[in-house]
């Protein structure tokens, strides 16, 4: 039975150690890169939204909106239609409703706010926001 003394890692190890001056200079260039030269950005979203709390469907445009506990809304339609919206703050989306034939979406959040999103632009934006004040009743007191 033959034994193979060469492993897969031999090729990797030889590529790590520089053999000439030009490769040494290239390694020094990579070491001078700073953290502020890079920006982290999320580029891909896939799958069903995490912790969904509200859902709405528009039968005319055939799009589905799903609200989450983290305050984001994902609008899904035919291929190529996939939009992610985010409320300011981390209030959960409690309810969603499309305004049929108006190109708008109304969302209610857990901090007692209604938002009306315009879906007519390429990137949907909030047109109006309405903040409600909760009334608290204390038992035993009147007026």
């Amino acid at each position: 039975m033959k034994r193979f003394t060469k492993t897969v890692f031999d090729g990797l190890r030889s590529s790590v150690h520089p053999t000439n001056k030009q490769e040494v200079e290239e390694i020094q260039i990579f070491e001078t890169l700073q953290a502020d030269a890079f920006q982290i950005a999320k580029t891909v979203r896939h799958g069903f939204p995490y912790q969904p709390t509200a859902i709405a469907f528009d039968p005319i445009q055939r799009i589905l909106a799903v609200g989450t506990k983290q305050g984001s809304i994902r609008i899904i339609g035919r291929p190529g239609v996939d939009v992610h919206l985010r409320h300011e703050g981390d209030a959960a989306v409690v309810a969603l409703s499309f305004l049929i034939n108006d190109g708008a979406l109304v969302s209610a959040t857990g901090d007692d706010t209604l938002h009306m999103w315009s879906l007519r632009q390429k990137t949907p934006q909030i047109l109006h926001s309405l903040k409600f004040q909760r009334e608290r009743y204390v038992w035993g007191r009147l007026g």
Side-chain angles (χ1 to χ4, degrees), residues 52-87:
T53 55
I55 193 165
F57 180 71
D58 186 355
I60 306 291
Q61 297 179 14
R62 295 185 180 161
I63 54 177
L64 178 75
V66 180
T68 66
K69 193 174 184 178
Q70 291 80 22
S72 64
I73 300 172
R74 185 157 176 206
I75 299 174
I76 305 166
R78 38 186 126 121
V81 178
D82 191 357
V83 180
H84 182 259
L85 310 173
R86 181 103 177 128
H87 290 99

Side-chain angles (χ1 to χ4, degrees), residues 9-19 23-24 27:
F9 295 113
D10 287 342
L12 292 174
R13 288 184 188 130
S14 65
S15 66
V16 171
H17 300 293
T19 56
E23 289 181 15
V24 171
I27 291 173

Side-chain angles (χ1 to χ4, degrees), residues 20-34:
N20 59 21
K21 185 177 180 181
Q22 182 181 5
E23 289 181 15
V24 171
E25 290 174 2
E26 288 176 4
I27 291 173
Q28 290 174 352
I29 290 171
F30 288 124
E31 291 175 355
T32 60
L33 295 176
Q34 301 295 325

